[in-house]
Coordinates of all heavy atoms in Angstrom, one line a residue:
L1268 N 0.8 -1.2 0.0 CA 0.0 0.0 0.0 C 0.9 1.2 0.0 O 2.0 1.3 0.6 CB -0.9 0.0 1.2 CG -1.8 -1.2 1.4 CD1 -2.7 -1.0 2.7 CD2 -2.7 -1.5 0.2
S1269 N 0.4 2.3 -0.6 CA 1.1 3.6 -0.7 C 0.1 4.7 -0.2 O -1.1 4.6 -0.5 CB 1.6 3.9 -2.1 OG 2.5 2.9 -2.5
C1270 N 0.6 5.7 0.4 CA -0.2 6.8 0.8 C 0.6 8.1 0.5 O 1.6 8.3 1.1 CB -0.6 6.8 2.3 SG -1.4 8.3 2.9
A1271 N 0.1 8.8 -0.5 CA 0.8 10.1 -0.8 C 0.1 11.2 0.0 O -1.1 11.5 -0.2 CB 0.6 10.3 -2.3
A1272 N 0.9 11.9 0.8 CA 0.4 13.0 1.6 C 0.8 14.3 1.0 O 1.9 14.4 0.4 CB 1.0 12.9 3.0
S1273 N 0.0 15.3 1.1 CA 0.3 16.6 0.6 C -0.4 17.7 1.5 O -1.3 17.4 2.2 CB -0.2 16.7 -0.8 OG -1.6 16.6 -0.9
G1274 N 0.1 18.9 1.4 CA -0.5 20.0 2.1 C 0.1 20.3 3.4 O -0.3 21.3 4.0
S1275 N 1.0 19.5 4.0 CA 1.5 19.7 5.3 C 2.7 18.7 5.5 O 2.9 17.8 4.6 CB 0.5 19.4 6.4 OG 1.0 19.8 7.6
V1276 N 3.5 19.0 6.5 CA 4.5 18.0 7.0 C 3.9 17.3 8.1 O 3.3 17.8 9.1 CB 5.8 18.8 7.4 CG1 6.8 17.8 7.9 CG2 6.3 19.6 6.2
F1277 N 4.1 16.0 8.1 CA 3.5 15.1 9.1 C 4.5 14.5 10.0 O 5.4 13.8 9.6 CB 2.7 14.0 8.4 CG 1.6 14.5 7.5 CD1 1.8 14.9 6.2 CD2 0.3 14.6 8.0 CE1 0.7 15.3 5.4 CE2 -0.8 15.1 7.3 CZ -0.5 15.4 6.0
S1278 N 4.3 14.7 11.3 CA 5.2 14.1 12.3 C 5.0 12.6 12.3 O 5.9 11.8 12.6 CB 5.0 14.7 13.6 OG 3.6 14.5 14.1
I1279 N 3.8 12.2 12.2 CA 3.5 10.7 12.2 C 2.6 10.4 11.0 O 1.6 11.1 10.7 CB 2.7 10.3 13.5 CG1 3.5 10.7 14.7 CG2 2.4 8.8 13.5 CD1 2.7 10.5 16.0
L1280 N 3.0 9.3 10.3 CA 2.2 8.8 9.2 C 2.0 7.3 9.5 O 2.9 6.6 10.0 CB 2.9 8.9 7.9 CG 2.8 10.3 7.2 CD1 3.7 10.3 6.0 CD2 1.4 10.7 6.8
G1281 N 0.8 6.8 9.3 CA 0.5 5.4 9.6 C -0.7 4.9 8.9 O -1.3 5.5 8.1
W1282 N -0.9 3.6 9.2 CA -2.0 2.8 8.7 C -2.9 2.3 9.7 O -2.4 1.8 10.8 CB -1.4 1.7 7.8 CG -0.7 2.2 6.6 CD1 0.7 2.4 6.5 CD2 -1.2 2.5 5.3 NE1 1.0 2.8 5.3 CE2 -0.1 2.9 4.5 CE3 -2.5 2.4 4.8 CZ2 -0.3 3.3 3.2 CZ3 -2.7 2.8 3.5 CH2 -1.6 3.2 2.7
Y1283 N -4.2 2.4 9.5 CA -5.2 1.8 10.3 C -6.1 0.9 9.4 O -6.1 1.1 8.2 CB -6.0 2.8 11.0 CG -5.3 3.6 12.1 CD1 -4.2 4.4 11.8 CD2 -5.6 3.4 13.4 CE1 -3.5 5.1 12.8 CE2 -4.9 4.1 14.5 CZ -3.9 4.9 14.1 OH -3.2 5.6 15.1
R1284 N -6.9 0.0 10.0 CA -7.8 -0.8 9.2 C -9.1 -1.0 10.0 O -9.1 -0.9 11.2 CB -7.1 -2.1 8.8 CG -6.9 -3.0 10.0 CD -6.1 -4.3 9.5 NE -5.9 -5.2 10.6 CZ -5.2 -6.3 10.6 NH1 -4.5 -6.6 9.4 NH2 -5.0 -7.1 11.6
Q1285 N -10.1 -1.2 9.2 CA -11.4 -1.5 9.7 C -12.1 -2.6 9.0 O -12.3 -2.5 7.8 CB -12.3 -0.2 9.7 CG -13.6 -0.4 10.5 CD -14.3 1.0 10.7 OE1 -14.0 2.0 10.0 NE2 -15.2 1.0 11.7
A1286 N -12.3 -3.7 9.7 CA -13.0 -4.8 9.1 C -14.5 -4.7 9.3 O -14.9 -3.9 10.3 CB -12.5 -6.1 9.7
P1287 N -15.4 -5.3 8.5 CA -16.8 -5.2 8.7 C -17.3 -5.6 10.1 O -16.9 -6.6 10.7 CB -17.4 -6.2 7.7 CG -16.4 -6.2 6.6 CD -15.1 -6.1 7.4
G1288 N -18.0 -4.7 10.8 CA -18.5 -5.0 12.1 C -17.5 -4.8 13.2 O -17.8 -5.1 14.4
K1289 N -16.4 -4.3 12.9 CA -15.3 -4.1 13.9 C -14.9 -2.6 13.9 O -15.1 -1.8 13.0 CB -14.1 -5.0 13.6 CG -14.4 -6.4 13.7 CD -13.1 -7.2 13.6 CE -13.4 -8.7 13.8 NZ -12.1 -9.5 13.7
E1290 N -14.2 -2.2 15.0 CA -13.7 -0.9 15.2 C -12.4 -0.7 14.4 O -11.7 -1.7 14.1 CB -13.5 -0.6 16.6 CG -14.7 -0.5 17.5 CD -14.5 0.0 18.9 OE1 -13.3 0.2 19.2 OE2 -15.4 0.2 19.6
R1291 N -12.2 0.5 14.0 CA -10.9 0.8 13.3 C -9.8 0.6 14.3 O -9.8 1.0 15.5 CB -10.9 2.3 12.8 CG -9.8 2.6 11.8 CD -10.0 4.0 11.2 NE -11.2 4.1 10.4 CZ -11.5 5.1 9.7 NH1 -10.7 6.2 9.6 NH2 -12.7 5.1 9.0
E1292 N -8.7 0.0 13.8 CA -7.6 -0.4 14.7 C -6.3 0.0 14.0 O -6.1 0.1 12.8 CB -7.5 -1.9 15.0 CG -7.4 -2.8 13.7 CD -7.3 -4.2 14.1 OE1 -7.4 -4.6 15.3 OE2 -7.0 -5.0 13.1
L1293 N -5.3 0.3 14.9 CA -4.0 0.6 14.4 C -3.3 -0.6 13.8 O -3.4 -1.7 14.3 CB -3.1 1.1 15.6 CG -1.7 1.5 15.3 CD1 -1.2 2.7 16.2 CD2 -0.7 0.3 15.5
V1294 N -2.6 -0.4 12.6 CA -1.8 -1.4 12.0 C -0.3 -1.1 12.2 O 0.4 -1.9 12.8 CB -2.1 -1.5 10.5 CG1 -1.2 -2.5 9.8 CG2 -3.6 -1.9 10.3
A1295 N 0.1 0.1 11.8 CA 1.5 0.5 11.9 C 1.6 2.0 11.8 O 0.9 2.6 11.0 CB 2.3 -0.2 10.9
T1296 N 2.6 2.6 12.5 CA 2.8 4.0 12.4 C 4.4 4.2 12.3 O 5.1 3.4 12.8 CB 2.2 4.8 13.5 OG1 2.8 4.4 14.7 CG2 0.7 4.7 13.5
M1297 N 4.7 5.3 11.8 CA 6.1 5.7 11.7 C 6.3 7.2 11.9 O 5.6 8.0 11.3 CB 6.8 5.3 10.4 CG 8.3 5.7 10.3 SD 9.1 5.1 8.8 CE 9.6 3.5 9.3
T1298 N 7.2 7.6 12.8 CA 7.4 9.0 13.0 C 8.5 9.6 12.0 O 9.1 8.8 11.3 CB 7.9 9.3 14.4 OG1 9.3 8.8 14.5 CG2 7.0 8.7 15.4
L1299 N 8.7 10.9 12.0 CA 9.7 11.5 11.1 C 11.1 10.9 11.5 O 11.9 10.8 10.6 CB 9.7 13.0 11.3 CG 8.9 13.8 10.3 CD1 8.9 15.3 10.7 CD2 9.3 13.6 8.9
L1300 N 11.3 10.6 12.7 CA 12.5 10.0 13.1 C 12.6 8.5 13.0 O 13.5 7.9 13.5 CB 12.8 10.4 14.6 CG 12.9 11.9 14.9 CD1 13.1 12.2 16.4 CD2 13.9 12.6 14.0
T1301 N 11.6 8.0 12.3 CA 11.5 6.6 11.9 C 11.3 5.6 13.0 O 11.5 4.4 12.9 CB 12.8 6.1 11.1 OG1 13.9 6.1 12.0 CG2 13.0 7.0 9.9
T1302 N 10.7 6.1 14.1 CA 10.3 5.2 15.2 C 9.0 4.6 14.7 O 8.1 5.2 14.2 CB 10.0 6.0 16.5 OG1 11.2 6.7 16.9 CG2 9.5 5.1 17.6
T1303 N 8.9 3.3 14.9 CA 7.8 2.5 14.4 C 7.0 1.9 15.5 O 7.5 1.6 16.6 CB 8.2 1.4 13.4 OG1 9.1 0.5 14.1 CG2 8.9 2.0 12.2
K1304 N 5.7 1.6 15.2 CA 4.8 0.9 16.1 C 4.0 0.0 15.3 O 3.5 0.4 14.2 CB 4.0 1.9 16.9 CG 3.0 1.3 17.9 CD 2.3 2.4 18.6 CE 1.3 1.8 19.6 NZ 0.6 2.9 20.4
Y1305 N 3.8 -1.2 15.7 CA 3.0 -2.2 15.0 C 2.0 -2.9 15.9 O 2.3 -3.1 17.1 CB 3.9 -3.3 14.4 CG 4.9 -2.9 13.3 CD1 6.2 -2.5 13.6 CD2 4.4 -3.0 12.0 CE1 7.0 -2.2 12.5 CE2 5.3 -2.6 11.0 CZ 6.6 -2.2 11.2 OH 7.4 -1.9 10.2
A1306 N 0.9 -3.2 15.3 CA 0.0 -4.1 16.0 C 0.6 -5.5 16.2 O 1.3 -5.9 15.3 CB -1.4 -4.2 15.3
D1307 N 0.3 -6.1 17.3 CA 0.9 -7.5 17.5 C 0.5 -8.4 16.4 O 1.3 -9.3 16.0 CB 0.4 -8.0 18.8 CG 1.1 -7.3 20.0 OD1 2.1 -6.7 19.8 OD2 0.5 -7.4 21.2
S1308 N -0.7 -8.2 15.9 CA -1.2 -9.2 14.8 C -0.5 -9.1 13.5 O -0.6 -10.0 12.7 CB -2.7 -8.9 14.6 OG -2.9 -7.6 14.2
V1309 N 0.3 -8.0 13.3 CA 1.0 -7.9 12.0 C 2.5 -7.9 12.2 O 3.2 -7.9 11.1 CB 0.6 -6.6 11.3 CG1 -1.0 -6.6 11.1 CG2 1.1 -5.4 11.9
K1310 N 3.0 -8.0 13.4 CA 4.5 -8.0 13.6 C 5.1 -9.2 12.9 O 4.6 -10.3 13.0 CB 4.8 -8.0 15.1 CG 4.6 -6.7 15.8 CD 4.9 -6.8 17.3 CE 4.7 -5.5 18.0 NZ 5.0 -5.6 19.4
G1311 N 6.2 -8.9 12.2 CA 6.9 -9.9 11.4 C 6.3 -10.2 10.0 O 7.0 -10.9 9.3
R1312 N 5.2 -9.6 9.7 CA 4.6 -9.8 8.4 C 4.5 -8.5 7.6 O 4.6 -8.5 6.4 CB 3.2 -10.4 8.6 CG 3.1 -11.8 9.2 CD 1.8 -12.4 9.2 NE 0.7 -11.6 9.8 CZ -0.4 -11.1 9.2 NH1 -0.6 -11.4 8.0 NH2 -1.3 -10.4 9.9
F1313 N 4.2 -7.4 8.3 CA 4.0 -6.1 7.7 C 5.2 -5.2 8.0 O 5.8 -5.3 9.1 CB 2.8 -5.4 8.2 CG 1.5 -6.1 7.8 CD1 1.4 -7.3 7.2 CD2 0.3 -5.4 8.0 CE1 0.2 -7.9 6.8 CE2 -1.0 -6.0 7.6 CZ -1.0 -7.2 7.0
T1314 N 5.6 -4.4 7.1 CA 6.6 -3.4 7.3 C 6.2 -2.0 6.8 O 5.8 -1.9 5.6 CB 7.9 -3.8 6.5 OG1 8.3 -5.1 7.0 CG2 9.0 -2.8 6.8
I1315 N 6.3 -1.1 7.7 CA 6.0 0.3 7.3 C 7.3 1.0 7.0 O 8.3 0.8 7.6 CB 5.2 1.0 8.4 CG1 4.7 2.4 7.9 CG2 6.1 1.2 9.7 CD1 3.7 3.0 8.9

C-alpha cells in the first residue's frame, strides 16, 4: 500500500484498518525520526 500525503508536513504517518462490524484499529505507524509501532497481529509480516 502507498499513501501520498500533501499540504503539510506530518510528524506521524501510519496505517489503520477497519473490518466489517469491527472498530478501526492501528496497524502500523512511523514518525519522522523513523520510530515505528506495529499491532501485535501484524508484527513480522508487515513493514511500514
Side-chain angles (χ1 to χ4, degrees):
L1268 305 182
S1269 299
C1270 171
S1273 61
S1275 186
V1276 178
F1277 297 88
S1278 58
I1279 304 172
L1280 284 171
W1282 294 94
Y1283 289 68
R1284 67 186 180 187
Q1285 187 166 20
K1289 295 188 176 182
E1290 293 187 354
R1291 193 172 296 187
E1292 62 177 2
L1293 178 147
V1294 176
T1296 61
M1297 178 177 272
T1298 70
L1299 266 177
L1300 300 180
T1301 69
T1302 299
T1303 58
K1304 181 177 181 178
Y1305 291 93
D1307 287 343
S1308 60
V1309 307
K1310 284 180 181 177
R1312 300 189 298 123
F1313 291 10
T1314 302
I1315 189 170

